[in-house]
Amino acid sequence: MARFTSHRSVLAILLASAASAAPADAAFAQAAPTGAPPAAAATGTEDGEIVVTARRREESLVSVPIAITAISGDALAQSGATDITAIADSVPNVTLEPSRGTNSTLSAFIRGVGQQDPVSGFEQGVGLYLDDVYLNRPQAAVLDIYDVERVEVLRGPQGTLYGRNTIGGAIKYVTKKLDDRPHVSLRGTYGSYDQADGVITASAPVTSDGMLRIGGSFARLTRGGFGTNLTTGQDNYNKSIWAGRGTIELHGDTVFARLTADYTHDDSNARGGHREIPGLVSGNPVLANVFDTQGGLVAPKQDVKAWGTSLFIEAHPSAAVTLRSITAYRKDDSASPIDFDASALVDVDVPAYYRNRQVSQEGQVLYDQGRLHAMAGFYYLHATALTQFDVRLFTSNALLPGLSAYTEANIRTDTLAGFANATYDLTDQFTIEAGGRYTWDKRQAYILRQNYLFGGSTVFGGPGTALGGPSTNFRGEAAYSKFTPRVSLTWKPDSDNTVYASYSQGFKGGGFDPRGVGTNAPAGVSQAEFLGFRPEKVDSYEIGYKTRLLDRHVNLSLAAFRMDYTDVQVPGSVACISGGIATFCGNVSNAGKARMQGFEAEGSAHLGPITLAGSVGYIDAKYLKYLTAVAGVTTDVAQYRKVQNTPAWSGNASATYTLRAAPGTFDLTVGMSFKSKTYQFEIPNPYLDQPAYQLVDASLVWHSHDRRWSLGVFGKNLTDKRYKTSGYIYGVADATNLASGQLAVPFRASLGKEGVATTFWGNPRQVYATASVSF
């Protein structure tokens, strides 16, 4: 049975397995950074075929005309990772990170397309799916998974079959069905920084014929901090999670139904950033330990609660026809104290609430007979996203020493789509595919910006003493519609080789800037026009080749692509003047045009007791047009801008030695992953951007012959490399070249007395042991 939670630790405990183990038969299903023991086969049939559902039906991985990496459940259990972001170490041209000051909000990019702003009003560029249920918001999206069957990473737009906000790609979590026999498994982990995890999973048939089954999981996940908050004394980068999931399944001759419910409570401390500059007023030096912080904001207490339920029904009225219904409801509430300047000073402190709800319904009809494989369906989503936050600021006015800029953004989304896709085998070797989706997307927004005296808004316990009228008090709506097609041509000379060419299109709806200051709208421009931003679109062209050689002991997957990205949405916030007061303003633009082109290669080779695996990705991502205001004049600054969170090179390599002995099987794995320079935002920044780096992992795992018992020792980031994953910056630009956006030297603050140049860092070296037993 499947289990997931919304935090960084356990998917890692399963995901690095993927990163650590791609069997020879599963080869290009996973080119993992830490190796690939032969036992860790991807989901497959008895003859070794890897089965995926990238096109919403079961197919052999080698036959699917999509750049896809499939990570098996056995691989996930074979190695220890730290969270879902471990996928990015093993899948080319993918970036996944926790979103700055949180543990559980996800920033995701695939092939240069994504989104790292978690505020309501901005949509993801990479779709996340749990058993075909779309997760609409990034909060609580760093999923931890137990008993997963596989994870599929689909690169490139998936607009036809997966719909809205998959313009970069999609990540699918496919969970296992319950056994028809009683089953209990236990897993425990202990390691560096007092990491202590425990997981128990159980399932059993309720009826004698096994038609009705029930199962559940419970997890307790803890770890001490990598550093310390020197102001509050709390652990920094710690972990504390309670999680549970229950499942009821009906296995009939022609009907399968699954009802699931899950709950996660993450009460880890807020992650405090590391100041990259000395205090501009206090003169406090930069801390030596990048995991230490001095942020003084403690209210509200960091807290994330998420739960959901879904009902999946599949019926087979005939051998050729399959009917599916997917109904889901999800809810998450987050409270987060975000200290932007990471200082003890009450300045640029942001207490925040995020409250998200969604209801979705999908219906599918599949037809599979002879040479025709077709699918049609509809999708409906109703979602609300409420974001509330204060920004507590000092001012230069002696009569007004401080204020709190309150923002409330309440966004409602209603989406309705119809889609169809069909493949037809022209011959035994040539297949043509055509499909399309029509999406109608409606956005309704209420946005309030109100300044209060320093005590702040009543939402966060302040007196709510307003300072003048609201700078934004906007209610409005907009509707967007788009048809997104997909076509492909596939040539399969035999069962071990596939060559394909495809065209697909992705679409992400527009919206309204939740941080926008309406009173700053130019004369003659309405608030709706000033706050609004347009949809964005991607046209993608891809060719690929997949092969299995030497009796399927060598596997290789190659893809080359070009993506034309138009009306690119670039959200952000900058220091500004509103009503004569220095504050911050939303700064969202449809930048213009970008072009991404590159290639990806994944492969593995099974050479007796040694398994070699690896992947490499290259992407040439650049803006062709980037329009912004420079000194009040609209200017094309494309030559000065970078595509964020998109290293030009990424990849991994690993080797696994397998020894079969009397006590069982031993797998020794050593691997390395690498990324070239990564820009955190569009404007290059020496404080935030991460130079090229490599990570080295290793593991030794023992399995009993019947695979009921296992014991593993894992080492992650063994060289203890320090690398930045995200950050905040508010600095004055160099007046001699405003178009470049480069910071003035020395650093001068545009917001906050101490200055804001704050970074967050990837995990340090960790060593831990995991033991498991199954009955």
Side-chain angles (χ1 to χ4, degrees), residues 313-595:
I313 302 175
E314 181 176 87
H316 301 273
S318 70
V321 177
T322 300
L323 305 177
R324 291 186 188 141
S325 172
I326 307 167
T327 307
Y329 173 79
R330 298 207 63 81
K331 171 183 176 181
D332 64 84
D333 294 298
S334 301
S336 186
I338 308 171
D339 198 315
F340 272 67
D341 70 352
S343 77
L345 192 67
V346 183
D347 195 17
V348 205
D349 286 359
V350 181
Y353 292 134
Y354 303 91
R355 308 184 194 280
N356 304 309
R357 312 286 186 269
Q358 70 174 80
V359 177
S360 61
Q361 174 64 52
E362 183 167 1
Q364 302 172 7
V365 179
L366 290 82
Y367 180 83
D368 192 342
Q369 176 114 8
R371 295 182 178 272
L372 179 63
H373 318 277
M375 175 183 181
F378 73 91
Y379 177 77
Y380 172 72
L381 170 74
H382 169 75
T384 59
L386 172 65
T387 299
Q388 299 167 299
F389 60 89
D390 274 350
V391 179
R392 295 167 182 168
L393 299 166
F394 277 109
T395 75
S396 57
N397 188 332
L399 299 178
L400 181 65
L403 63 84
S404 183
Y406 173 72
T407 296
E408 179 174 325
N410 196 343
I411 310 297
R412 169 175 167 162
T413 298
D414 288 283
T415 293
L416 182 63
F419 55 90
N421 194 75
T423 61
Y424 186 77
D425 300 328
L426 300 173
T427 69
D428 290 340
Q429 295 183 334
F430 286 94
T431 299
I432 190 171
E433 174 191 21
R437 173 182 290 243
Y438 186 84
T439 301
W440 177 81
D441 209 16
K442 183 178 181 181
R443 202 87 70 247
Q444 295 175 293
Y446 170 63
I447 300 172
L448 174 67
R449 285 285 305 266
Q450 173 67 60
N451 288 335
Y452 292 94
L453 294 181
F454 201 65
S457 67
T458 57
V459 174
F460 296 98
T465 306
L467 182 63
S471 56
T472 303
N473 191 3
F474 170 74
R475 293 183 185 272
E477 64 180 50
Y480 315 94
S481 59
K482 181 67 177 175
F483 176 74
T484 50
R486 172 181 168 82
V487 294
S488 72
L489 178 64
T490 303
W491 175 46
K492 293 183 286 188
D494 54 50
S495 61
D496 288 332
N497 291 275
T498 297
V499 180
Y500 68 89
S502 68
Y503 164 77
S504 59
Q505 192 175 88
F507 158 77
K508 185 168 77 172
F512 302 97
D513 183 355
R515 301 188 189 92
V517 176
T519 55
N520 285 355
V525 176
S526 68
Q527 284 201 16
E529 295 174 292
F530 183 67
L531 300 176
F533 52 89
R534 301 185 302 278
E536 61 182 24
K537 183 187 74 170
V538 169
D539 291 285
S540 177
Y541 310 85
E542 180 174 310
I543 57 174
Y545 173 54
K546 302 180 181 183
T547 185
R548 296 178 291 200
L549 306 169
L550 302 179
D551 196 25
R552 299 187 177 181
H553 284 79
V554 175
N555 300 262
L556 182 65
S557 177
L558 305 173
F561 61 91
R562 177 189 170 101
M563 297 167 60
D564 295 320
Y565 194 8
T566 56
D567 283 328
V568 183
Q569 297 170 7
V570 182
S573 60
V574 297
C576 66
I577 302 297
S578 175
I581 297 174
T583 182
F584 76 100
C585 298
N587 182 31
V588 179
S589 62
N590 287 99
K593 298 179 181 179
R595 183 262 294 137

Side-chain angles (χ1 to χ4, degrees), residues 34-95:
T34 52
T43 306
T45 60
E46 292 182 358
D47 62 0
E49 288 281 7
I50 304 160
V51 178
V52 296
T53 56
R55 294 194 290 181
R56 298 295 186 96
R57 56 188 173 90
E58 291 189 349
E59 298 178 276
S60 165
L61 176 64
V62 74
S63 301
V64 179
I66 295 173
I68 175 176
T69 300
I71 306 169
S72 76
D74 285 338
L76 295 175
Q78 180 66 28
S79 161
T82 52
D83 60 50
I84 186 178
T85 61
I87 288 180
D89 293 335
S90 59
V91 183
N93 291 328
V94 172
T95 298

